[in-house]
Amino acid sequence: MSAGEDAAWLRWVAKQFESIAGADRQIHLEQFKAALKVKESFFAERLFALFDSDGSGTISLEELLSALSLLVHGSETDKLRFLFQVYDVDGSGAIDPAELRLVLRACLRESSVSLPPPRLDDLAQALFEAADKDGSGSITFEELRAELEALPGVMENLSISAVSWLKPPSPPERSRRPRYLTAAYWHNHGSQLAFLGGYTGLNLLLFTLAALRHAGLGGWVVVARGCGQCLNFNCAFIAVLMLRRCLSWLRATPVAQVLPLDHSVGLHQLVGYVVLALGAVHTGAHVANFSRLARQDGHRALTEFLLTARPGGGGLGGTASQTGLALQGLLAAMLAFSSPCVRRGGHFEVFYWSHLSYVSVWALLVLHAPNFWKWFVVPGGLFVLEKAVGLVVSRAMGLRIVEVNLLPSKVTHLVVQRPRSFRFRPGDYVYLNIPAVAAYEWHPFTISSAPEQQGTIWLHVRARGQWTSRLHEYCRHPEVLQPCGNLKRARWWRWAKAAPCTRPGSAGGSVATSEDEAIELTSYRATGAPTAPQGRPDEDPSPEVVSTVSTGPGESRRLCSIKCYIDGPYGTPTRRIFTSEHAVLIGAGIGITPFASILQSIMYRYRLRKQSQDYKQCESLRGEDMTLRKVDFIWINRDQKHFEWFVSLLAKLELEQAEQEPGGRFLELHLYLTAALGKSDVRAVGLQLALDLLAAKEHKDSITGLRARTQPGRPDWSKVFGKVAEERKGKVQVFFCGSPALAKVIRAHCERFGFRFFKENF
């Protein structure tokens, strides 16, 4: 730091000290713990003891500045000495095995990682054996230093993230060139921007033509007629953006390279806002004109113009004013109930039912505007046809949910019977209706199984709203899952007991099944399926067989027969993956669901490509080939138990790649645990070092059981994408499914590196 920066830092620390110190201008232990906000009091007490250099039981401003100066300005040796003192609990000058286990246990709690006691002993032993070079039974300062020097960047960046409140805020970045003016931004948004430009130009043209035709009727009439003509177009066009079947079909055509089909939902919302704005201006202009006419007439009030049907008043039977006001009220209600706070705040049903008023809106538009039907006849016909086809197909495919798996974090895994005629592509989604949960509600969910998996499709549903929460609660009770006793149900039961997926070595061997061998995770173990009941195949299953099969904390598996309907499938941006050369798949939390299907399908095709001598002429690969040369899969989770959702699938993919190509790197897994502290934090460096050592020894990660090491904290996207760019495997395309906030961050980095970015949307 320069002298000026150092002085500013000292002033900031003094200010923060005053905010937490008592009246005696001293920081006591409880105040120190509250300020640190650490999860484990062990570290608060150790740091307090080291900061309290005079042993008075309190920390003065001078002691705080002295300790922080060592961490901020100190040398590598000073920082390492501080770390060693944290681990040397009894102050003997050496770390013994008991102290190491104590510190590692605190590290686990601080990083929100749960491991069984034997695993903790393994970590402590691995770290102790590596650091205790002379076999003396304790670790000295020099031995710890030699071990940590092998970790690049740790010594230079060693810090305590818990005292980040003592760091001054970063200076604001200087304004740079707006990202909207960069070539990378236009490369990623070219089709979208071109479409928006054409859309804006068409609206301006329609407004101008209508205004010119009514130029002699006064300014308010000109504005009203111009907006009315734009409303004719937009109220018909908004239906086009919701033609899901047509848009899914267009994704397989060259038109997908020109039109922003991936943004149909966002464009639908944009057109909705435009309709409301145009409607408000249109209504306001007519009210202003009626007010002018009322003043000129002198006999009729404004309310008579607005609320009374009259000949020549426009619309069917002169009801233009009344239908216009009704339309404006319906549009305002639809907009209000479509806001994110309603849709994502657990009130999806309010959005769903209020949005069905689009039928009333179109009916009123036909009555309100005599020429609207000319604009609406084609898109409206297609919309009605799609709805009719969807209704017929979905009702014809009356299916059964044959298995339910209750996973951690209120995730419900549904195994649904798959009709023979049901064809979909990796990453597609369907609309699901379960009459037992809600008779008339349909909700979209990504298919998490691969198209190559025969017999069943998988859906993973996280309880976040009213409907998904009701589904989770419904599946928690075994009595409602028991099938009814009839012959048709008996056939379903025999089918449900059969293995829902093909076994390894067959055509669908990349698909994980409920009967896979157990995979050891942190503090839980996924168990196999229950044994089939004895007796004749036509016999009804006994209640014991239908009952819950526990597979660990927060998880259970149940065989069942629940009636459901599906509408779809519908395409998503992830269909482009198989035409990529280097695909980077990023899933956050439950955002892994589309990639679960894609990863399985990728490995299926990869296996066929490896097994075929001339795969381009292989009959089974005709039309199913892919140009992929490298796949990087990045999965980001907040806490450890979320990895349980698909860890068995990822383990299968790792095993299959190892069998097909030992040492191969066609598919690389990158897992991040955001709740865990990074390697440069004093409270986690020992744990992360121990995890690295044990993973290298056992060739598997202690947190997930996979070969890929789980990284602590959030990804450094600059480093991640920099490594991807250095591999030079071909054109890079990034596919993301997760929160909108993270999508913005990743999109900005993609623009910086010149990567194409695609986000999953419903």
Side-chain angles (χ1 to χ4, degrees), residues 674-727:
T674 58
L677 300 174
K679 294 182 179 180
S680 60
D681 196 294
V682 167
R683 298 168 295 157
V685 60
L687 172 62
Q688 295 302 327
L689 178 57
L691 288 170
D692 285 341
L693 292 170
L694 196 58
K697 178 181 178 181
E698 298 181 348
H699 303 289
K700 72 173 183 179
D701 183 56
S702 296
I703 296 177
T704 62
L706 301 174
R707 298 185 182 187
R709 171 79 164 87
T710 302
Q711 300 299 321
R714 302 180 184 276
D716 184 335
W717 295 112
S718 296
K719 292 182 179 179
V720 170
F721 288 154
K723 181 181 177 183
V724 169
E726 291 173 359
E727 292 184 354

Short mmCIF file of all heavy atoms in Angstrom, two decimals, residues 674-727:
data_model
loop_
_atom_site.label_atom_id
_atom_site.label_comp_id
_atom_site.label_asym_id
_atom_site.label_seq_id
_atom_site.Cartn_x
_atom_site.Cartn_y
_atom_site.Cartn_z
N THR A 674 -20.21 -23.79 -2.46
CA THR A 674 -20.06 -22.36 -2.15
C THR A 674 -20.04 -22.08 -0.65
O THR A 674 -19.51 -21.05 -0.23
CB THR A 674 -21.21 -21.56 -2.79
OG1 THR A 674 -22.47 -22.05 -2.31
CG2 THR A 674 -21.18 -21.71 -4.30
N ALA A 675 -20.61 -22.96 0.17
CA ALA A 675 -20.60 -22.73 1.62
C ALA A 675 -19.23 -23.00 2.22
O ALA A 675 -18.94 -22.53 3.33
CB ALA A 675 -21.64 -23.62 2.30
N ALA A 676 -18.38 -23.75 1.52
CA ALA A 676 -17.05 -24.08 2.05
C ALA A 676 -16.09 -22.91 1.88
O ALA A 676 -16.15 -22.17 0.89
CB ALA A 676 -16.50 -25.32 1.35
N LEU A 677 -15.20 -22.73 2.85
CA LEU A 677 -14.21 -21.67 2.79
C LEU A 677 -13.06 -22.06 1.88
O LEU A 677 -12.73 -23.23 1.75
CB LEU A 677 -13.68 -21.36 4.19
CG LEU A 677 -14.74 -20.91 5.21
CD1 LEU A 677 -14.12 -20.77 6.59
CD2 LEU A 677 -15.37 -19.60 4.78
N GLY A 678 -12.44 -21.05 1.26
CA GLY A 678 -11.37 -21.30 0.31
C GLY A 678 -10.06 -21.69 0.97
O GLY A 678 -9.88 -21.59 2.19
N LYS A 679 -9.12 -22.14 0.15
CA LYS A 679 -7.84 -22.64 0.65
C LYS A 679 -6.99 -21.55 1.29
O LYS A 679 -6.10 -21.84 2.08
CB LYS A 679 -7.05 -23.28 -0.49
CG LYS A 679 -7.68 -24.55 -1.05
CD LYS A 679 -6.83 -25.15 -2.15
CE LYS A 679 -7.44 -26.44 -2.69
NZ LYS A 679 -6.63 -27.04 -3.77
N SER A 680 -7.25 -20.30 0.94
CA SER A 680 -6.42 -19.22 1.48
C SER A 680 -6.94 -18.69 2.81
O SER A 680 -6.33 -17.80 3.38
CB SER A 680 -6.32 -18.08 0.46
OG SER A 680 -7.61 -17.57 0.17
N ASP A 681 -8.07 -19.23 3.31
CA ASP A 681 -8.62 -18.77 4.58
C ASP A 681 -7.97 -19.55 5.72
O ASP A 681 -7.83 -20.77 5.66
CB ASP A 681 -10.13 -18.97 4.60
CG ASP A 681 -10.80 -18.18 5.72
OD1 ASP A 681 -10.55 -18.49 6.89
OD2 ASP A 681 -11.57 -17.24 5.40
N VAL A 682 -7.60 -18.83 6.78
CA VAL A 682 -6.96 -19.46 7.94
C VAL A 682 -7.83 -20.58 8.50
O VAL A 682 -7.33 -21.60 8.97
CB VAL A 682 -6.69 -18.38 9.02
CG1 VAL A 682 -6.32 -19.03 10.34
CG2 VAL A 682 -5.59 -17.44 8.56
N ARG A 683 -9.16 -20.41 8.43
CA ARG A 683 -10.07 -21.38 9.02
C ARG A 683 -10.30 -22.61 8.16
O ARG A 683 -11.04 -23.51 8.56
CB ARG A 683 -11.41 -20.71 9.32
CG ARG A 683 -11.34 -19.57 10.32
CD ARG A 683 -12.63 -18.78 10.32
NE ARG A 683 -12.85 -18.12 9.05
CZ ARG A 683 -14.06 -17.74 8.61
NH1 ARG A 683 -15.13 -17.98 9.34
NH2 ARG A 683 -14.17 -17.12 7.46
N ALA A 684 -9.70 -22.67 6.97
CA ALA A 684 -9.99 -23.80 6.08
C ALA A 684 -8.75 -24.38 5.42
O ALA A 684 -8.84 -25.43 4.79
CB ALA A 684 -10.98 -23.37 5.00
N VAL A 685 -7.60 -23.72 5.52
CA VAL A 685 -6.43 -24.18 4.78
C VAL A 685 -6.03 -25.60 5.18
O VAL A 685 -5.67 -26.42 4.33
CB VAL A 685 -5.25 -23.20 4.95
CG1 VAL A 685 -4.84 -23.06 6.42
CG2 VAL A 685 -4.06 -23.62 4.11
N GLY A 686 -6.10 -25.92 6.47
CA GLY A 686 -5.74 -27.27 6.91
C GLY A 686 -6.70 -28.32 6.37
O GLY A 686 -6.28 -29.40 5.93
N LEU A 687 -8.00 -28.02 6.39
CA LEU A 687 -9.00 -28.95 5.88
C LEU A 687 -8.82 -29.18 4.39
O LEU A 687 -8.84 -30.33 3.92
CB LEU A 687 -10.40 -28.41 6.16
CG LEU A 687 -11.56 -29.18 5.53
CD1 LEU A 687 -11.61 -30.60 6.07
CD2 LEU A 687 -12.87 -28.46 5.76
N GLN A 688 -8.64 -28.12 3.63
CA GLN A 688 -8.51 -28.27 2.18
C GLN A 688 -7.23 -29.03 1.82
O GLN A 688 -7.22 -29.83 0.88
CB GLN A 688 -8.53 -26.90 1.50
CG GLN A 688 -9.85 -26.16 1.64
CD GLN A 688 -11.02 -26.94 1.07
OE1 GLN A 688 -10.88 -27.68 0.09
NE2 GLN A 688 -12.19 -26.80 1.69
N LEU A 689 -6.17 -28.80 2.57
CA LEU A 689 -4.93 -29.54 2.34
C LEU A 689 -5.14 -31.02 2.63
O LEU A 689 -4.70 -31.89 1.87
CB LEU A 689 -3.81 -28.97 3.21
CG LEU A 689 -2.45 -29.68 3.13
CD1 LEU A 689 -1.94 -29.70 1.69
CD2 LEU A 689 -1.44 -29.00 4.04
N ALA A 690 -5.84 -31.33 3.73
CA ALA A 690 -6.11 -32.72 4.07
C ALA A 690 -6.99 -33.39 3.03
O ALA A 690 -6.78 -34.55 2.67
CB ALA A 690 -6.75 -32.80 5.46
N LEU A 691 -8.00 -32.67 2.54
CA LEU A 691 -8.87 -33.23 1.50
C LEU A 691 -8.10 -33.51 0.22
O LEU A 691 -8.33 -34.53 -0.45
CB LEU A 691 -10.03 -32.26 1.23
CG LEU A 691 -11.10 -32.16 2.32
CD1 LEU A 691 -12.05 -31.00 2.03
CD2 LEU A 691 -11.88 -33.46 2.43
N ASP A 692 -7.18 -32.61 -0.13
CA ASP A 692 -6.35 -32.85 -1.32
C ASP A 692 -5.47 -34.08 -1.15
O ASP A 692 -5.35 -34.91 -2.07
CB ASP A 692 -5.47 -31.62 -1.59
CG ASP A 692 -6.26 -30.47 -2.19
OD1 ASP A 692 -7.35 -30.72 -2.72
OD2 ASP A 692 -5.78 -29.31 -2.12
N LEU A 693 -4.86 -34.21 0.00
CA LEU A 693 -3.97 -35.35 0.25
C LEU A 693 -4.73 -36.66 0.23
O LEU A 693 -4.28 -37.66 -0.35
CB LEU A 693 -3.26 -35.16 1.59
CG LEU A 693 -2.25 -34.01 1.67
CD1 LEU A 693 -1.80 -33.78 3.11
CD2 LEU A 693 -1.04 -34.31 0.78
N LEU A 694 -5.90 -36.69 0.87
CA LEU A 694 -6.68 -37.92 0.91
C LEU A 694 -7.25 -38.27 -0.46
O LEU A 694 -7.32 -39.46 -0.83
CB LEU A 694 -7.81 -37.78 1.93
CG LEU A 694 -8.47 -39.10 2.38
CD1 LEU A 694 -7.43 -40.04 2.99
CD2 LEU A 694 -9.58 -38.82 3.39
N ALA A 695 -7.64 -37.26 -1.23
CA ALA A 695 -8.14 -37.51 -2.59
C ALA A 695 -7.05 -38.08 -3.48
O ALA A 695 -7.30 -38.98 -4.29
CB ALA A 695 -8.71 -36.22 -3.18
N ALA A 696 -5.83 -37.55 -3.34
CA ALA A 696 -4.72 -38.09 -4.13
C ALA A 696 -4.38 -39.52 -3.73
O ALA A 696 -3.98 -40.34 -4.56
CB ALA A 696 -3.49 -37.19 -3.96
N LYS A 697 -4.58 -39.85 -2.47
CA LYS A 697 -4.26 -41.19 -1.98
C LYS A 697 -5.32 -42.21 -2.38
O LYS A 697 -4.99 -43.32 -2.81
CB LYS A 697 -4.12 -41.13 -0.45
CG LYS A 697 -3.84 -42.48 0.21
CD LYS A 697 -3.75 -42.31 1.73
CE LYS A 697 -3.53 -43.66 2.41
NZ LYS A 697 -3.46 -43.50 3.89
N GLU A 698 -6.60 -41.83 -2.27
CA GLU A 698 -7.70 -42.77 -2.51
C GLU A 698 -8.31 -42.63 -3.90
O GLU A 698 -9.14 -43.44 -4.28
CB GLU A 698 -8.80 -42.55 -1.47
CG GLU A 698 -8.35 -42.82 -0.04
CD GLU A 698 -9.48 -42.63 0.96
OE1 GLU A 698 -10.53 -42.06 0.56
OE2 GLU A 698 -9.33 -43.05 2.11
N HIS A 699 -7.93 -41.60 -4.65
CA HIS A 699 -8.46 -41.34 -5.99
C HIS A 699 -9.97 -41.11 -5.96
O HIS A 699 -10.69 -41.52 -6.88
CB HIS A 699 -8.12 -42.49 -6.95
CG HIS A 699 -6.66 -42.77 -7.05
ND1 HIS A 699 -5.78 -41.91 -7.69
CD2 HIS A 699 -5.90 -43.80 -6.58
CE1 HIS A 699 -4.56 -42.40 -7.63
NE2 HIS A 699 -4.60 -43.54 -6.95
N LYS A 700 -10.45 -40.49 -4.92
CA LYS A 700 -11.85 -40.09 -4.86
C LYS A 700 -12.01 -38.95 -3.86
O LYS A 700 -11.21 -38.81 -2.93
CB LYS A 700 -12.76 -41.26 -4.50
CG LYS A 700 -12.67 -41.72 -3.06
CD LYS A 700 -13.74 -42.78 -2.78
CE LYS A 700 -13.70 -43.20 -1.31
NZ LYS A 700 -14.75 -44.21 -1.00
N ASP A 701 -13.05 -38.16 -4.09
CA ASP A 701 -13.31 -37.00 -3.24
C ASP A 701 -14.05 -37.44 -1.99
O ASP A 701 -14.97 -38.26 -2.04
CB ASP A 701 -14.13 -35.98 -4.02
CG ASP A 701 -14.39 -34.72 -3.23
OD1 ASP A 701 -13.43 -34.10 -2.79
OD2 ASP A 701 -15.58 -34.38 -3.06
N SER A 702 -13.66 -36.89 -0.85
CA SER A 702 -14.29 -37.27 0.42
C SER A 702 -15.69 -36.69 0.58
O SER A 702 -16.49 -37.20 1.36
CB SER A 702 -13.42 -36.82 1.60
OG SER A 702 -12.18 -37.47 1.60
N ILE A 703 -16.02 -35.63 -0.15
CA ILE A 703 -17.32 -34.98 0.00
C ILE A 703 -18.38 -35.67 -0.84
O ILE A 703 -19.51 -35.89 -0.38
CB ILE A 703 -17.21 -33.49 -0.36
CG1 ILE A 703 -16.28 -32.78 0.63
CG2 ILE A 703 -18.58 -32.82 -0.37
CD1 ILE A 703 -16.06 -31.32 0.32
N THR A 704 -18.05 -36.05 -2.07
CA THR A 704 -19.05 -36.64 -2.96
C THR A 704 -18.78 -38.10 -3.30
O THR A 704 -19.69 -38.78 -3.78
CB THR A 704 -19.11 -35.85 -4.29
OG1 THR A 704 -17.83 -35.94 -4.94
CG2 THR A 704 -19.46 -34.40 -4.04
N GLY A 705 -17.56 -38.57 -3.10
CA GLY A 705 -17.23 -39.92 -3.51
C GLY A 705 -16.83 -40.02 -4.96
O GLY A 705 -16.51 -41.11 -5.45
N LEU A 706 -16.84 -38.91 -5.69
CA LEU A 706 -16.44 -38.91 -7.10
C LEU A 706 -14.93 -38.78 -7.22
O LEU A 706 -14.23 -38.44 -6.27
CB LEU A 706 -17.12 -37.76 -7.84
CG LEU A 706 -18.65 -37.75 -7.84
CD1 LEU A 706 -19.16 -36.46 -8.47
CD2 LEU A 706 -19.20 -38.95 -8.58
N ARG A 707 -14.43 -39.02 -8.42
CA ARG A 707 -13.01 -38.82 -8.67
C ARG A 707 -12.68 -37.33 -8.77
O ARG A 707 -11.57 -36.91 -8.44
CB ARG A 707 -12.60 -39.53 -9.96
CG ARG A 707 -12.80 -41.05 -9.89
CD ARG A 707 -12.27 -41.73 -11.13
NE ARG A 707 -12.51 -43.18 -11.07
CZ ARG A 707 -12.03 -44.05 -11.96
NH1 ARG A 707 -11.30 -43.62 -12.97
NH2 ARG A 707 -12.30 -45.33 -11.84
N ALA A 708 -13.64 -36.56 -9.26
CA ALA A 708 -13.43 -35.11 -9.38
C ALA A 708 -13.44 -34.48 -7.99
O ALA A 708 -14.34 -34.74 -7.19
CB ALA A 708 -14.51 -34.49 -10.25
N ARG A 709 -12.46 -33.67 -7.71
CA ARG A 709 -12.32 -33.02 -6.41
C ARG A 709 -13.30 -31.86 -6.31
O ARG A 709 -13.40 -31.01 -7.19
CB ARG A 709 -10.88 -32.52 -6.25
CG ARG A 709 -10.63 -31.64 -5.06
CD ARG A 709 -10.50 -32.43 -3.77
NE ARG A 709 -9.90 -31.57 -2.75
CZ ARG A 709 -10.61 -30.75 -1.97
NH1 ARG A 709 -11.91 -30.69 -2.09
NH2 ARG A 709 -9.99 -30.02 -1.07
N THR A 710 -14.07 -31.80 -5.22
CA THR A 710 -15.00 -30.71 -4.97
C THR A 710 -14.22 -29.48 -4.52
O THR A 710 -13.48 -29.52 -3.53
CB THR A 710 -16.02 -31.09 -3.88
OG1 THR A 710 -16.72 -32.26 -4.30
CG2 THR A 710 -17.02 -29.97 -3.67
N GLN A 711 -14.38 -28.37 -5.25
CA GLN A 711 -13.65 -27.15 -4.96
C GLN A 711 -14.45 -26.27 -4.00
O GLN A 711 -15.68 -26.17 -4.11
CB GLN A 711 -13.36 -26.37 -6.24
CG GLN A 711 -12.53 -27.14 -7.25
CD GLN A 711 -11.17 -27.52 -6.71
OE1 GLN A 711 -10.53 -26.73 -6.00
NE2 GLN A 711 -10.71 -28.72 -7.04
N PRO A 712 -13.78 -25.63 -3.04
CA PRO A 712 -14.49 -24.77 -2.09
C PRO A 712 -14.77 -23.39 -2.68
O PRO A 712 -14.01 -22.88 -3.52
CB PRO A 712 -13.51 -24.67 -0.92
CG PRO A 712 -12.16 -24.80 -1.57
CD PRO A 712 -12.33 -25.74 -2.72
N GLY A 713 -15.86 -22.79 -2.24
CA GLY A 713 -16.17 -21.43 -2.64
C GLY A 713 -16.79 -21.35 -4.02
O GLY A 713 -17.21 -22.35 -4.61
N ARG A 714 -16.84 -20.14 -4.55
CA ARG A 714 -17.43 -19.89 -5.87
C ARG A 714 -16.37 -19.97 -6.95
O ARG A 714 -15.19 -19.69 -6.69
CB ARG A 714 -18.09 -18.50 -5.90
CG ARG A 714 -19.16 -18.33 -4.84
CD ARG A 714 -19.80 -16.96 -4.88
NE ARG A 714 -20.76 -16.78 -3.79
CZ ARG A 714 -22.02 -17.19 -3.85
NH1 ARG A 714 -22.47 -17.77 -4.95
NH2 ARG A 714 -22.83 -17.02 -2.82
N PRO A 715 -16.76 -20.33 -8.16
CA PRO A 715 -15.77 -20.40 -9.24
C PRO A 715 -15.20 -19.02 -9.55
O PRO A 715 -15.90 -18.02 -9.51
CB PRO A 715 -16.57 -20.94 -10.43
CG PRO A 715 -17.81 -21.55 -9.84
CD PRO A 715 -18.09 -20.77 -8.59
N ASP A 716 -13.91 -19.01 -9.87
CA ASP A 716 -13.28 -17.81 -10.41
C ASP A 716 -13.45 -17.89 -11.93
O ASP A 716 -12.69 -18.57 -12.62
CB ASP A 716 -11.80 -17.76 -10.03
CG ASP A 716 -11.11 -16.48 -10.48
OD1 ASP A 716 -11.60 -15.86 -11.45
OD2 ASP A 716 -10.10 -16.10 -9.88
N TRP A 717 -14.47 -17.21 -12.44
CA TRP A 717 -14.85 -17.40 -13.84
C TRP A 717 -13.75 -16.97 -14.80
O TRP A 717 -13.64 -17.54 -15.90
CB TRP A 717 -16.15 -16.66 -14.13
CG TRP A 717 -17.30 -17.21 -13.36
CD1 TRP A 717 -17.99 -16.61 -12.36
CD2 TRP A 717 -17.89 -18.52 -13.51
NE1 TRP A 717 -18.97 -17.44 -11.87
CE2 TRP A 717 -18.93 -18.62 -12.56
CE3 TRP A 717 -17.63 -19.59 -14.35
CZ2 TRP A 717 -19.72 -19.76 -12.44
CZ3 TRP A 717 -18.41 -20.74 -14.22
CH2 TRP A 717 -19.44 -20.81 -13.29
N SER A 718 -12.96 -16.01 -14.42
CA SER A 718 -11.85 -15.60 -15.28
C SER A 718 -10.86 -16.76 -15.47
O SER A 718 -10.40 -17.04 -16.58
CB SER A 718 -11.14 -14.39 -14.71
OG SER A 718 -12.01 -13.27 -14.67
N LYS A 719 -10.55 -17.45 -14.37
CA LYS A 719 -9.64 -18.59 -14.45
C LYS A 719 -10.29 -19.78 -15.17
O LYS A 719 -9.65 -20.47 -15.97
CB LYS A 719 -9.18 -19.00 -13.06
CG LYS A 719 -8.29 -17.98 -12.36
CD LYS A 719 -7.83 -18.49 -11.00
CE LYS A 719 -6.92 -17.48 -10.32
NZ LYS A 719 -6.48 -17.94 -8.97
N VAL A 720 -11.57 -20.02 -14.87
CA VAL A 720 -12.27 -21.16 -15.49
C VAL A 720 -12.33 -20.99 -17.00
O VAL A 720 -11.96 -21.90 -17.76
CB VAL A 720 -13.69 -21.28 -14.90
CG1 VAL A 720 -14.51 -22.30 -15.69
CG2 VAL A 720 -13.62 -21.70 -13.43
N PHE A 721 -12.78 -19.83 -17.46
CA PHE A 721 -12.90 -19.62 -18.90
C PHE A 721 -11.53 -19.42 -19.56
O PHE A 721 -11.37 -19.74 -20.74
CB PHE A 721 -13.80 -18.41 -19.18
CG PHE A 721 -15.25 -18.67 -18.89
CD1 PHE A 721 -16.11 -17.64 -18.56
CD2 PHE A 721 -15.75 -19.95 -18.92
CE1 PHE A 721 -17.45 -17.88 -18.29
CE2 PHE A 721 -17.09 -20.21 -18.65
CZ PHE A 721 -17.94 -19.18 -18.33
N GLY A 722 -10.57 -18.89 -18.79
CA GLY A 722 -9.22 -18.79 -19.34
C GLY A 722 -8.63 -20.16 -19.64
O GLY A 722 -8.00 -20.37 -20.68
N LYS A 723 -8.87 -21.12 -18.75
CA LYS A 723 -8.40 -22.49 -18.98
C LYS A 723 -9.11 -23.13 -20.17
O LYS A 723 -8.50 -23.83 -20.98
CB LYS A 723 -8.63 -23.32 -17.72
CG LYS A 723 -8.15 -24.76 -17.84
CD LYS A 723 -8.44 -25.54 -16.57
CE LYS A 723 -8.02 -27.01 -16.74
NZ LYS A 723 -8.35 -27.81 -15.53
N VAL A 724 -10.41 -22.86 -20.29
CA VAL A 724 -11.18 -23.39 -21.43
C VAL A 724 -10.62 -22.84 -22.73
O VAL A 724 -10.45 -23.57 -23.71
CB VAL A 724 -12.67 -23.03 -21.28
CG1 VAL A 724 -13.43 -23.32 -22.56
CG2 VAL A 724 -13.28 -23.81 -20.12
N ALA A 725 -10.33 -21.55 -22.76
CA ALA A 725 -9.81 -20.92 -23.98
C ALA A 725 -8.44 -21.49 -24.34
O ALA A 725 -8.11 -21.65 -25.53
CB ALA A 725 -9.73 -19.41 -23.80
N GLU A 726 -7.62 -21.81 -23.34
CA GLU A 726 -6.27 -22.34 -23.60
C GLU A 726 -6.30 -23.74 -24.20
O GLU A 726 -5.34 -24.14 -24.88
CB GLU A 726 -5.46 -22.37 -22.30
CG GLU A 726 -5.09 -20.98 -21.78
CD GLU A 726 -4.43 -21.05 -20.41
OE1 GLU A 726 -4.29 -22.17 -19.89
OE2 GLU A 726 -4.07 -19.98 -19.88
N GLU A 727 -7.37 -24.50 -23.98
CA GLU A 727 -7.41 -25.87 -24.48
C GLU A 727 -7.57 -25.93 -25.99
O GLU A 727 -7.21 -26.92 -26.61
CB GLU A 727 -8.55 -26.63 -23.79
CG GLU A 727 -8.30 -26.86 -22.31
CD GLU A 727 -9.40 -27.70 -21.68
OE1 GLU A 727 -10.40 -27.99 -22.37
OE2 GLU A 727 -9.26 -28.07 -20.51
#
